[in-house]
Amino acid sequence: MKNWTFALSVVSIVSGLSGAAQADDALKIAVAGSQRTPAFVARDVWRHPVETLSFMGITPSMTVVEISPGAGWYTEILAPYLRDKGQLILAASDPASSSEYSRRGAERLKKKLDAQPTVYDKVKLGVFEPPAKLNYAPAGSVDLVLTFRNVHNWAAEGEPVTKAVFQSMYDALKPGGVLGVVDHRLPPSRPLDPKFDSGYVHVAYVLRLAQSVGFKLQDQSEINANPKDTADHPNGVWALPPTYANKDTDRARFDAIGESDRMTLKFVKP
């Protein structure tokens, strides 16, 4: 806790700075904080949190929604970064869901937040259970919506579900607000699996869905690209680290590839 207390004091010092420099310094402090899980930190080399969040245009005073935070990899960074001046809303699993998997996920996330109240005490929890429960933030109240490696999961439930999710993100944002999407990228030359079993999706698929609800593509980045990933592995993206779905089979080869090749897209609500 001492390291994090020190980090908070440094944040107060850099608060005298202005503009992008202040945001960048505060973001680096959050990424370097002792609140982060060591196994998560080890993945920074593949997930590039400072560069990715900077590309999305995040600032400490924003209201930000993180869709489906999972185990909280990005939550550990976003919560302290936004704690003093902004607001983090987690669009998370429903604790009253009919799905045992969702209920367990909600319980794990709640335990994580409760374990470090000085980091997570100001985080708000919203329910995200598409397509029925998508009212995780008031309409037109959010500056930035972020979703990391989730589009393929919604797509597996069918395009109506995926479109409902994109509509909910559009509705939550203020005019001029930004949607940031990162997901496993399927080469355009490869056919899209209608069941999305591989976990990879075409950039064109994401673009079409986002634009169908009104989003405009503002920018895209190669921050999270990995040219070593051929996206044709047995068991799909989960063959790669950190999952290793094939266990010891070709593990050295998958280690040499690293984590997946990922698209990084920035959309704006006009």
Side-chain angles (χ1 to χ4, degrees):
M1 187 59 67
K2 288 182 179 179
N3 290 342
W4 181 241
T5 302
F6 171 74
L8 287 175
S9 68
V10 176
V11 170
S12 67
I13 293 171
V14 300
S15 65
L17 301 175
S18 61
Q22 175 185 338
D24 185 62
D25 286 347
L27 185 55
K28 289 178 180 178
I29 289 167
V31 169
S34 62
Q35 84 285 354
R36 297 190 65 204
T37 303
F40 290 0
V41 174
R43 298 182 65 193
D44 285 1
V45 66
W46 300 111
R47 303 196 71 177
H48 312 101
V50 171
E51 296 85 352
T52 300
L53 292 173
S54 296
F55 172 74
M56 301 304 182
I58 197 169
T59 69
S61 60
M62 282 182 167
T63 296
V64 178
V65 169
E66 183 186 3
I67 303 286
S68 291
W73 197 97
Y74 262 102
T75 306
E76 291 184 354
I77 297 167
L78 294 168
Y81 177 73
L82 296 165
R83 184 177 181 272
D84 291 340
K85 297 180 180 180
Q87 178 66 65
L88 176 61
I89 301 169
L90 300 180
S93 297
D94 183 4
S97 174
S98 59
S99 163
E100 183 180 358
Y101 178 84
S102 294
R103 292 196 305 273
R104 287 181 177 178
E107 183 180 357
R108 284 194 299 269
L109 181 61
K110 185 68 163 54
K111 285 182 177 179
K112 181 183 187 73
L113 301 184
D114 290 345
Q116 295 191 70
T118 58
V119 178
Y120 301 114
D121 58 337
K122 296 184 180 180
V123 173
K124 291 184 178 180
L125 286 173
V127 172
F128 179 82
E129 190 165 302
K133 298 179 181 179
L134 293 170
N135 297 319
Y136 43 82
S141 67
V142 176
D143 299 295
L144 175 63
V145 174
L146 296 167
T147 180
F148 302 100
R149 301 178 306 133
N150 290 310
V151 176
H152 64 278
N153 292 320
W154 310 328
E157 298 296 320
E159 188 161 314
V161 172
T162 315
K163 188 168 181 178
V165 172
F166 273 87
Q167 185 67 61
S168 76
M169 296 188 291
Y170 186 91
D171 292 343
L173 285 165
K174 302 172 182 177
V178 168
L179 166 64
V181 178
V182 177
D183 215 325
H184 313 294
R185 180 166 52 187
L186 183 68
S189 60
R190 297 273 306 285
L192 187 66
D193 176 4
K195 295 183 179 180
F196 296 89
D197 288 338
S198 73
Y200 291 95
V201 295
H202 285 149
V203 171
Y205 175 84
V206 179
L207 292 176
R208 179 173 60 80
L209 281 167
Q211 291 166 348
S212 74
V213 302
F215 281 112
K216 305 295 183 185
L217 179 66
Q218 187 176 76
D219 203 357
Q220 52 189 314
S221 173
E222 293 299 297
I223 295 166
N224 296 300
N226 180 1
K228 293 181 180 180
D229 180 17
T230 54
D232 60 354
H233 322 296
N235 286 313
V237 69
W238 298 282
L240 299 174
T243 308
Y244 296 107
N246 299 313
K247 298 183 179 179
D248 290 334
T249 302
D250 289 332
R251 189 179 181 105
R253 179 168 69 86
F254 294 133
D255 270 333
I257 293 171
E259 294 197 20
S260 68
D261 177 55
R262 293 164 190 163
M263 68 183 83
T264 304
L265 308 176
K266 182 178 180 180
F267 297 95
V268 65
K269 176 179 178 176

